[in-house]
Amino acid sequence: MEAVCRKATFDDVETLYTLIEGYALKGIMLPRSRETLGRQIDTFVVAEVEGRIVGCGSLCRLGSELVEIRSLGISEGHKGLGIGSKLVDKLIEEARDQGIPKVMALTYEVSFFRKNGFDVVDKEIFPEKVWTDCINCAKQQCCDEIAVLKMLN
């Protein structure tokens, strides 16, 4: 059961929507509409096992030197198999290809990101994120996510 990561295509929108919505309903990921996913499809990568999408993630550019990993999720039954790490590797490769030296995420899964070479940092060092997304978030004043950062060489 080998996972293969690839760039997402417009044909993947419905599967991405379903996967992300499952996390959003649990309050651990921001929801994304089908329309938004379609507009941002070029920022997504997916993981497939035997031709079926079992994971996804995207990169959001927050400035000339910073991207955020977001919408990182794995379907039930496929967690703990290294698929999340493969997706992060693919997203980091994308950031390198774009010449972006810093990759951040806001997460509840700190140990996962630490295992993948990220360090915990103070989220206030990312004004790009705060003024882009956090300003509109219902959890803005009581955010319980942890910021992580990986510097690319």
Side-chain angles (χ1 to χ4, degrees), residues 100-121:
I100 311 256
K102 298 188 283 188
V103 180
M104 63 86 63
L106 291 178
T107 186
Y108 296 109
E109 301 294 336
V110 174
S111 61
F112 167 80
F113 279 96
R114 277 194 170 139
K115 182 179 79 173
N116 283 282
F118 286 73
D119 296 310
V120 173
V121 295

Side-chain angles (χ1 to χ4, degrees), residues 61-127:
R61 193 173 195 134
L62 296 174
S64 62
E65 296 193 350
L66 180 66
V67 289
E68 177 189 12
I69 292 178
R70 44 164 75 169
S71 301
L72 183 66
I74 309 297
S75 64
E76 293 300 324
H78 292 91
K79 295 178 182 175
L81 303 175
I83 296 169
S85 292
K86 282 188 173 190
L87 284 165
V88 167
D89 288 347
K90 182 72 171 169
L91 292 166
I92 288 171
E93 178 184 315
E94 293 282 325
R96 278 197 174 102
D97 289 349
Q98 295 175 29
I100 311 256
K102 298 188 283 188
V103 180
M104 63 86 63
L106 291 178
T107 186
Y108 296 109
E109 301 294 336
V110 174
S111 61
F112 167 80
F113 279 96
R114 277 194 170 139
K115 182 179 79 173
N116 283 282
F118 286 73
D119 296 310
V120 173
V121 295
D122 186 346
K123 63 180 146 261
E124 281 71 33
I125 70 168
F126 302 118

Side-chain angles (χ1 to χ4, degrees), residues 5-49:
C5 293
R6 64 167 174 80
K7 298 272 290 171
T9 67
F10 195 76
D11 291 339
D12 301 325
V13 167
E14 190 61 33
T15 305
L16 290 171
Y17 175 80
T18 301
L19 183 59
I20 292 167
E21 186 68 8
Y23 279 93
L25 290 171
K26 295 175 187 170
I28 53 178
M29 191 181 288
L30 291 175
R32 303 275 184 243
S33 70
R34 289 173 180 89
E35 294 77 20
T36 297
L37 290 169
R39 281 194 312 273
Q40 297 174 351
I41 198 68
D42 61 327
T43 68
F44 276 85
V45 297
V46 295
E48 289 183 323
V49 172

